[in-house]
Amino acid sequence: MGEFKRKNVLQRMRMSTPELEVYYRNLRRYRFEQRYPLKGIKWREKAYRLFVKLVQIDRILSHEKIIILKDEHTATQSPTIFAATHAGGLDITRICEAIRANLYIFLGDPGEIYKNIYGLLAFLNGWIPFDTNNRLERKIASFRAEELLLNSGNLLIFPEGAWNFSDYLPVTRVYNGAARMALHTNAVIVPLAIEVYERTWYINIGKNINPASLDGVVNKGVL
């Protein structure tokens, strides 16, 4: 890829969503090819309190509640991958508030949030956006996620890969990306289920999964 030309804030504000998708895809590729490191992990950890206050205000103004049904995970010195079900809507912000720790968001097809307040919040919190239908994008995103974990950051990922709109399947097909990342980085996986009924979010946080227990499962193609 040749020299990438950056655009300032005003130029980006004038761009349409499809134009922004192309722009940011090219920016991610340029940074990857130029071997730019993932930056901002430490200051985002320090800024987490401000971020969580913003999402709390948003939740309160929306007249929503969070109920944690169970929390069986334990703090660890290892980086952690929070692998969650995907209920749609504002489940990302509700999970980030419930966990009470900075989590980079592994987010496919950001689309319109490039242009709204939720995109700004995702950036301030820390995110790894990518286009799911682009093979190089998926590769770059996985590389960045592992880079984050190797630098002691935590990751929020949705192994289903999309919102689950099924009325009869609590969890749809699960992809093995989270397990592979855990094996490559020695990160702990914490499973997490979230669902919303009316204006109440219910969250169930499971026990830590040691990466050593995943090797045979991934190699056998179960995950």
Side-chain angles (χ1 to χ4, degrees):
M1 184 176 183
E3 184 66 24
F4 177 80
K5 294 184 179 180
R6 296 176 182 271
K7 297 185 182 295
N8 60 40
V9 174
L10 290 177
Q11 289 174 317
R12 296 198 301 272
M13 288 177 64
R14 298 190 187 102
M15 297 171 69
S16 66
T17 296
E19 289 172 332
L20 285 170
E21 289 175 329
V22 173
Y23 172 78
Y24 283 113
R25 183 165 61 241
N26 289 336
L27 175 60
R28 290 189 289 266
R29 179 179 175 183
Y30 175 75
R31 286 176 171 169
F32 178 70
E33 292 178 346
Q34 297 299 314
R35 299 187 178 182
Y36 279 45
L38 187 66
K39 295 182 179 180
I41 299 172
K42 295 303 180 184
W43 74 255
R44 284 185 169 93
E45 288 177 356
K46 294 177 181 178
Y48 170 74
R49 289 185 180 180
L50 173 60
F51 169 78
V52 81
K53 286 295 182 184
L54 293 174
V55 299
Q56 281 177 338
I57 291 170
D58 171 72
R59 176 177 58 78
I60 292 169
L61 292 175
S62 300
H63 304 288
E64 295 182 359
K65 295 190 300 181
I66 294 176
I67 295 178
I68 298 178
L69 300 174
K70 188 184 295 183
D71 185 354
E72 297 183 302
H73 93 288
T74 55
T76 174
Q77 295 299 315
S78 300
T80 303
I81 300 172
F82 288 86
T85 59
H86 209 350
L90 298 175
D91 56 358
I92 291 175
T93 56
R94 304 302 175 243
I95 290 170
C96 289
E97 182 182 350
I99 295 300
R100 300 189 178 278
N102 179 242
L103 309 174
Y104 268 60
I105 307 161
F106 196 75
L107 185 62
D109 302 321
E112 64 182 18
I113 74 169
Y114 282 130
K115 296 176 69 72
N116 63 30
I117 186 63
Y118 295 110
L120 176 60
L121 286 173
F123 170 77
L124 292 174
N125 172 76
W127 68 334
I128 301 174
F130 64 102
D131 294 337
T132 58
N133 291 324
N134 186 294
R135 184 177 181 181
L136 179 59
E137 277 276 283
R138 297 195 300 270
K139 175 183 176 181
I140 293 172
S142 295
F143 176 86
R144 291 302 188 192
E146 292 184 11
E147 183 182 6
L148 168 75
L149 295 165
L150 289 170
N151 282 279
S152 301
N154 299 318
L155 183 70
L156 171 61
I157 190 170
F158 298 93
E160 292 172 291
W163 290 356
N164 181 0
F165 294 113
S166 172
D167 291 329
Y168 60 92
L169 287 176
V171 180
T172 57
R173 176 187 176 185
V174 173
Y175 293 89
N176 64 12
R180 291 187 183 280
M181 290 175 191
L183 286 170
H184 293 167
T185 63
N186 201 35
V188 169
I189 292 181
V190 172
L192 184 152
I194 183 169
E195 190 57 90
V196 58
Y197 296 97
E198 296 183 350
R199 295 184 181 274
T200 302
W201 294 87
Y202 296 89
I203 299 177
N204 195 354
I205 306 170
K207 297 179 181 178
N208 296 21
I209 298 174
N210 190 303
S213 66
L214 298 170
D215 191 27
V217 177
V218 171
N219 289 335
K220 290 178 182 178
V222 177
L223 288 177

